[in-house]
Amino acid sequence: MSASTTQKIDPNRLTLWERHYPGHDMISTRTFGFWLYMLTDAMVYAALFASLGVLSHAVNLAGGPPPSAIINPVYAYGETITLFLSVLAYGYSMVALKSGSRGGVVGGMFVSMLLGVVFLAIAATDMGHLFAQGVVPETSGFLSIFFTILIYHALHIVVGVVWMLVMIAQIARDGFSANVVYRLINLRLFWHFQAVIWVFVFTFVYLQGMVA
């Protein structure tokens, strides 16, 4: 038995609680709140993917094209590589944040933002080709959920790109204040979350659609 387990403790000198509440750490509290938001967003995506599983059945095609006829793997691979590179660039900006390099943070975020714009351009081109071929959401239940998932994810990317632009302006104005740092952390969570969701989009919408 070790000495620490046999040592007697004086109850009069033992502190069981803080007599003065120190308060919550602002960054940790707001980051926890953002995790709760992402949980609700994940539930929305779960509902969309469940709907896709039902509406992608042949019965719900309503005479429209099947998934394998409309999915272009070139666009899908391009979007995947672009988004993952964007997340990587943002990761480098967070490494620069630890060292206090304002230029490194802004530079990494600017590259990440540009790659996000490229992702949106590829997605818009893909949808534009589908619309030009008469493939529109109102054709069938499958196409409705197909476009809903892609557009919903694209809207999140738009929010992320605008958020990065705002953060670049705030870093230039305020430096690394507490408000700026917690927003950068939440943006990191948001941007990585979009990449995780895209893995599911690529798997269930594109890969599964190509082999269906």
Side-chain angles (χ1 to χ4, degrees):
M1 185 177 294
S2 63
S4 60
T5 58
T6 59
Q7 182 182 3
K8 293 184 178 180
I9 299 176
D10 184 2
N12 296 323
R13 298 183 179 180
L14 184 63
T15 302
L16 299 178
W17 59 82
E18 289 285 348
R19 296 187 181 276
H20 302 286
Y21 175 60
H24 289 294
D25 174 67
M26 183 194 71
I27 293 179
S28 299
T29 302
R30 294 182 178 179
T31 302
F32 175 72
F34 197 76
W35 273 108
L36 295 179
Y37 150 72
M38 289 198 300
L39 178 61
T40 61
D41 205 22
M43 295 173 65
V44 173
Y45 274 112
L48 291 175
F49 287 126
S51 300
L52 176 67
V54 174
L55 295 176
S56 59
H57 193 274
V59 175
N60 298 304
L61 296 180
S68 58
I70 64 172
I71 291 176
N72 190 327
V74 176
Y75 290 120
Y77 291 137
E79 289 172 288
T80 302
I81 294 173
T82 302
L83 184 56
F84 284 3
L85 287 176
S86 178
V87 171
L88 179 63
Y90 194 90
Y92 280 123
S93 71
M94 291 295 97
V95 173
L97 176 62
K98 291 183 178 180
S99 61
S101 173
R102 186 181 301 190
V105 173
V106 172
M109 197 177 304
F110 183 75
V111 173
S112 181
M113 183 180 64
L114 288 181
L115 289 169
V117 172
V118 172
F119 175 92
L120 292 172
I122 297 174
T125 302
D126 187 16
M127 290 187 187
H129 287 168
L130 292 176
F131 288 155
Q133 297 170 8
V135 181
V136 291
E138 57 265 29
T139 301
S140 65
F142 162 70
L143 290 177
S144 296
I145 193 62
F146 173 81
F147 283 108
T148 298
I149 291 176
L150 296 184
I151 293 175
Y152 187 68
H153 183 267
L155 289 176
H156 283 73
I157 299 299
V158 171
V159 171
V161 169
V162 174
W163 194 349
M164 290 183 199
L165 186 62
V166 172
M167 292 313 303
I168 289 175
Q170 289 189 355
I171 292 172
R173 185 190 64 188
D174 303 328
F176 296 136
S177 64
N179 283 329
V180 170
V181 170
Y182 98 78
R183 290 166 187 161
L184 288 173
I185 293 174
N186 287 349
L187 177 54
R188 178 193 63 184
L189 295 174
F190 179 83
W191 204 237
H192 281 73
F193 180 67
Q194 302 316 312
V196 172
I197 292 298
W198 181 255
V199 172
F200 290 96
V201 174
F202 183 78
T203 301
F204 294 113
V205 177
Y206 288 100
L207 288 183
Q208 186 172 303
M210 285 187 290
V211 300

